[in-house]
Amino acid sequence: QVQLVESGGGLVQAGGSLRLSCAASGRTFSNYAMGWFRQAPGKEREFVGAINASGGSTYYADSVKGRFTVSRDKAKNTDYLQMNSLKPEDTAVYYCAGGKGAGYSPNPTGYMYWGQGTQVTVSS
């Protein structure tokens, strides 16, 4: 079956960086987009960024544009979310999500499979 396994979360000071990884198995990795979402306590899950199936295009929420970067390593069946210049408001549980097709979606309903989530905490 399809599995998405996340790693890389943790505690960091404001202005610092973290890189999240999402290792995929169970289907042809390069045929599907991958999205990244986050959910803070008491808030709805929100779109962070995404990469299309080929890895040639990326998309970001305005709140993270210029600070976060999504990338894909097809040889490792792994996607990454590089987060720089982190702010306390970036604190949340972060999820990777496997798309239904080659294109991305900013909506959680556009994804079929979800990672287990990883906590990111940014202290001020």
Side-chain angles (χ1 to χ4, degrees):
Q1 73 273 23
V2 176
Q3 282 192 314
L4 302 178
V5 179
E6 297 182 56
S7 60
L11 173 64
V12 65
Q13 288 189 330
S17 298
L18 283 173
R19 188 178 78 159
L20 306 184
S21 300
C22 179
S25 62
R27 65 177 185 177
T28 304
F29 178 74
S30 58
N31 286 353
Y32 299 93
M34 185 79 78
W36 290 88
F37 291 79
R38 66 187 181 187
Q39 189 164 19
K43 294 188 177 181
E44 292 188 353
R45 191 166 296 190
E46 67 169 345
F47 174 75
V48 174
I51 190 164
N52 68 349
S54 70
S57 296
T58 52
Y59 315 87
Y60 301 97
D62 288 343
S63 58
V64 306
K65 203 171 292 182
R67 300 188 297 122
F68 289 13
T69 303
V70 180
S71 62
R72 167 160 289 194
D73 186 333
K74 294 180 181 179
K76 295 183 178 180
N77 283 4
T78 300
D79 283 346
Y80 302 95
L81 178 65
Q82 177 68 44
M83 305 183 292
N84 298 329
S85 302
L86 282 160
K87 305 175 181 180
E89 51 263 43
D90 294 319
T91 295
V93 177
Y94 283 71
Y95 299 89
C96 61
K100 295 179 179 178
Y104 95 106
S105 169
N107 297 314
T109 56
Y111 298 86
M112 293 181 67
Y113 304 101
W114 292 83
Q116 80 278 15
T118 186
Q119 177 70 46
V120 171
T121 303
V122 184
S123 63
S124 57

